[in-house]
């Protein structure tokens, strides 16, 4: 009891110098640019790491990250990322996919070997929503080779995503028919959770990947979702990233970005064709 009270009231000195050191490391490692108003958030998320490591304060933590990070760099970047997501977030993208893009690709006979990348997939709701949309809108989908790559920097969310298990509350808003078709309700010890159907899981490969590092993928993608990831990056970092996306996607193929993001003054290799939907033009 005493220990629990002690833990909750622990406070650490957090200097400007500590904050600046940490944001330099974050920016270098992840591309995420932390503004001044993120200071309290950084403090809150990292005090847990200090306690877990039994460190005396932020000077010692900065020293560890700068000189001998080992596994701590992963815990650090996991702690800093913001993973907010949901099934069918920004539904207009999924409507576009099922009502316009898939019928077009079907007509052009471009569904064979369809490759989709969910870059910054968080806990998986985005790639599973893509998989549901593809399965619902491509007739006889098993006759085609359709695959989704889902990647994220944060190792915790990738693990969670690949388990395919969610609290039932995460899928509450979905139509009953979709729930019945794509999710198994947990029973007994698993009551209150749902598991994504195997047909969806089989379409998706989950991998940890830092978008700032080299990408191991050889082939090009037909569709890229990178939504609500670059809002945390500065413009020069965004410019480099979208240039790399342009190199990694087929000509005339589609890129979906988040509701508060745009490619103005970032790249001229994509053209806006709908609400936060772009097509590669060069
Ligand atoms: C707010 S979530 C967005 C999830 C999903 N795309 C959506 O729109 O619902 C942003 C995700 O980007 C990931 N992320 C941030 N920086 C990254 C990087 N450098 N490489 C890969 N993923 C990154 C975070 O870990 C986080 O899971």
């Amino acid at each position: 009891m005493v220990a629990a009270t002690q833990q909750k009231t622990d406070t650490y000195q957090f200097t400007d110098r500590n904050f600046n050191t940490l944001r330099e490391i974050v920016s270098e490692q992840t591309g995420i640019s932390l503004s001044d108003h993120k200071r309290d958030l950084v403090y809150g998320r990292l005090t847990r790491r200090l306690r877990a490591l039994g460190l005396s304060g932020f000077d010692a933590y900065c020293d560890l990250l700068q000189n001998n990070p080992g596994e701590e760099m992963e815990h650090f970047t996991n702690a800093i990322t913001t993973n907010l997501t949901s099934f069918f977030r920004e539904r207009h993208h999924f409507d576009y996919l099922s009502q316009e893009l898939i019928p077009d690709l079907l007509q052009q006979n471009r569904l064979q070997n369809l490759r989709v990348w969910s870059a910054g997939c968080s806990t998986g709701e985005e790639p599973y929503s893509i998989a549901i949309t593809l399965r619902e809108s491509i007739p006889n989908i098993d006759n085609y080779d359709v695959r989704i790559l889902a990647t994220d920097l944060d190792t915790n969310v990738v693990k969670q995503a690949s388990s395919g298990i969610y609290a039932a509350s995460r899928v509450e808003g979905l139509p009953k028919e979709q729930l019945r078709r794509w999710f198994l309700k947990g029973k007994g010890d698993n009551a209150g959770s749902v598991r994504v159907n195997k047909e969806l899981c089989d379409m998706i490969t989950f991998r940890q990947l830092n978008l700032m590092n080299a990408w191991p993928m050889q082939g090009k993608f037909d569709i890229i979702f990178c939504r609500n990831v670059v809002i945390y990056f500065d413009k020069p970092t965004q410019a480099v990233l979208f240039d790399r996306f342009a190199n990694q996607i087929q000509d005339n193929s589609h890129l979906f970005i988040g509701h508060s993001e745009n490619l103005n003054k970032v790249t001229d290799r994509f053209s806006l064709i709908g609400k936060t939907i772009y097509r590669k033009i060069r």
Side-chain angles (χ1 to χ4, degrees):
M1 184 67 198
V2 172
T5 313
Q6 178 69 40
Q7 276 209 347
K8 277 200 184 119
T9 55
D10 264 351
T11 55
Y12 300 95
Q13 196 189 17
F14 189 44
T15 63
D16 287 351
R17 195 186 154 126
N18 294 146
F19 183 49
N20 287 333
T21 302
L22 293 172
R23 54 180 172 182
E24 266 170 39
I25 301 172
V26 170
S27 161
E28 199 180 280
Q29 293 285 324
T30 69
I32 296 171
S33 163
L34 295 169
S35 57
D36 289 340
H37 74 269
K38 291 281 167 67
R39 189 177 170 131
D40 289 348
L41 179 140
V42 170
Y43 177 87
R45 289 185 181 181
L46 294 180
T47 49
R48 275 176 249 148
R49 293 305 312 148
L50 267 65
R51 278 184 208 125
L53 294 163
L55 292 178
S56 57
F58 276 94
D59 283 346
Y61 191 61
C62 290
D63 184 54
L64 175 75
L65 289 178
Q66 284 177 309
N67 298 312
N68 187 20
E71 281 181 11
E72 186 52 27
M73 193 57 82
E74 182 179 319
H75 293 298
F76 171 63
T77 52
N78 285 356
I80 292 297
T81 55
T82 294
N83 308 116
L84 184 77
T85 188
S86 56
F87 283 96
F88 292 95
R89 182 183 195 186
E90 297 170 42
R91 185 170 276 279
H92 64 101
H93 285 159
F94 301 96
D95 292 342
Y96 180 84
L97 200 56
S98 61
Q99 290 161 23
E100 312 224 11
L101 187 50
I102 293 302
D104 268 5
L105 293 174
L106 191 61
Q107 203 179 24
Q108 295 167 39
N109 213 4
R110 282 184 53 199
L111 285 179
Q112 203 48 263
N113 305 317
L114 187 78
R115 294 292 177 266
V116 185
W117 182 12
S118 164
C121 65
S122 188
T123 38
E125 287 85 339
E126 177 177 281
Y128 288 121
S129 303
I130 298 171
I132 291 173
T133 307
L134 296 178
R135 290 206 83 88
E136 287 181 345
S137 56
I138 302 179
N140 305 318
I141 189 169
D142 292 323
N143 293 342
Y144 303 96
D145 178 22
V146 175
R147 296 213 52 82
I148 301 166
L149 173 69
T151 64
D152 201 283
L153 162 75
D154 183 332
T155 50
N156 291 332
V157 294
V158 175
K159 207 184 297 168
Q160 216 178 313
S162 49
S163 78
I165 297 171
Y166 294 92
S169 57
R170 305 283 297 160
V171 295
E172 246 164 26
L174 299 188
K176 286 225 161 53
E177 183 46 42
Q178 230 167 20
L179 278 178
R180 244 195 319 267
R181 176 76 183 88
W182 304 115
F183 298 89
L184 301 170
K185 241 183 178 170
K187 296 200 178 104
D189 285 353
N190 299 320
S193 62
V194 293
R195 181 194 280 276
V196 174
N197 177 316
K198 186 172 181 310
E199 284 166 287
L200 302 181
C201 295
D202 287 349
M203 292 171 70
I204 310 174
T205 304
F206 287 100
R207 290 277 180 272
Q208 191 273 346
L209 178 69
N210 184 345
L211 291 169
M212 295 300 106
N213 294 346
W215 300 344
M217 301 83 83
Q218 316 251 299
K220 291 194 176 184
F221 291 92
D222 301 287
I223 300 170
I224 296 180
F225 278 68
C226 184
R227 309 185 311 159
N228 308 299
V229 176
V230 305
I231 26 169
Y232 307 107
F233 297 179
D234 60 25
K235 290 278 174 192
T237 308
Q238 292 185 17
V240 172
L241 181 63
F242 284 107
D243 194 51
R244 294 178 72 197
F245 280 139
N247 294 338
Q248 199 73 43
I249 198 170
Q250 306 279 7
D251 291 345
N252 295 316
S253 288
H254 290 71
L255 169 72
F256 296 78
I257 65 173
H259 61 285
S260 61
E261 299 161 342
N262 70 74
L263 300 187
N264 288 346
K265 300 192 180 140
V266 170
T267 177
D268 60 1
R269 299 187 64 191
F270 293 93
S271 158
L272 185 66
I273 57 158
K275 198 169 146 201
T276 54
I277 305 172
Y278 288 80
R279 188 165 56 215
K280 179 183 165 180
I281 51 166
R282 56 176 68 92

